[in-house]
Amino acid sequence: MELIITIALFAFSAGITPGPNNIMLMTSGVNFGVKRSIPHLLGIIVGFPSMVLAIGLGLSAVFQAYPVAHQVIKVAGIIYLLYLSWLIANSSSNLEGKKTSKPFNFIQAAAFQWVNPKGWIMAVGAIATFTSIDQSLTPQVITIAVVFFFIALPCASIWLSFGVGLKKLLKNERQQKIFNISMALLLVLSIIPMVVPN
């Protein structure tokens, strides 16, 4: 039980802090509201623990054997995040009834986990920290994934709620445009510590 609490604290501290998922979810809350952002929310909640399972149950061995595969995913993730930042910065305001853009759907949000640098750091860090080679790896990895699943719901919901709350403060299209550009810049800044070597 003590290990589960420790994993939960790690998952909460990693899941509640700003990162690509949270910034995009908050932006979705501002631009699309709760109802239209629910598939995005669910994609994160299911997608990240699924990635933890895949990495913990064998994909990490592939990356050890072929380090270039991990680098390819990392570079693709950075390029995709920059593209998403550009889309966010240039998205139209929905305050005046425009519906020119769409929120992430479930599949897009779940698949995004595979190119999210913070997600990789969290998943690999959790598996390296909370598993032991003295025991069967499978139940340990499943435990980590289940804990992340249950912790992701409140963390992601808080960020979506922030976005919905901010929507009430953004009174006109210009303010929402400034917000979108700010979130795009923050999204770019959020990946810098993950890609710049220490």
Side-chain angles (χ1 to χ4, degrees), residues 20-26 28 32 36-52 80-81 84 102-120 152 156 160:
N21 274 328
N22 292 336
I23 293 167
M24 291 184 343
L25 198 53
M26 182 173 67
S28 186
F32 306 110
R36 293 185 66 201
S37 299
I38 286 176
H40 187 165
L41 176 81
L42 295 176
I44 293 169
I45 293 168
V46 173
F48 182 74
S50 299
M51 187 176 89
V52 170
Y80 188 58
L81 281 169
L84 289 174
K102 296 178 183 176
F104 262 24
N105 63 37
F106 177 86
I107 299 296
Q108 289 170 320
F112 173 73
Q113 304 317 302
W114 290 94
V115 294
N116 178 358
K118 182 182 178 186
W120 277 97
L160 179 57

Side-chain angles (χ1 to χ4, degrees), residues 24 27 31-32 80-92 100-102 104 108 177 180-181 183-184 187:
M24 291 184 343
T27 304
N31 291 306
F32 306 110
Y80 188 58
L81 281 169
L82 292 172
Y83 170 71
L84 289 174
S85 297
W86 181 82
L87 288 179
I88 289 169
N90 291 292
S91 64
S92 297
T100 57
S101 57
K102 296 178 183 176
F104 262 24
Q108 289 170 320
K177 184 69 174 172
N180 286 344
I181 291 171
M183 290 302 99
L187 185 57

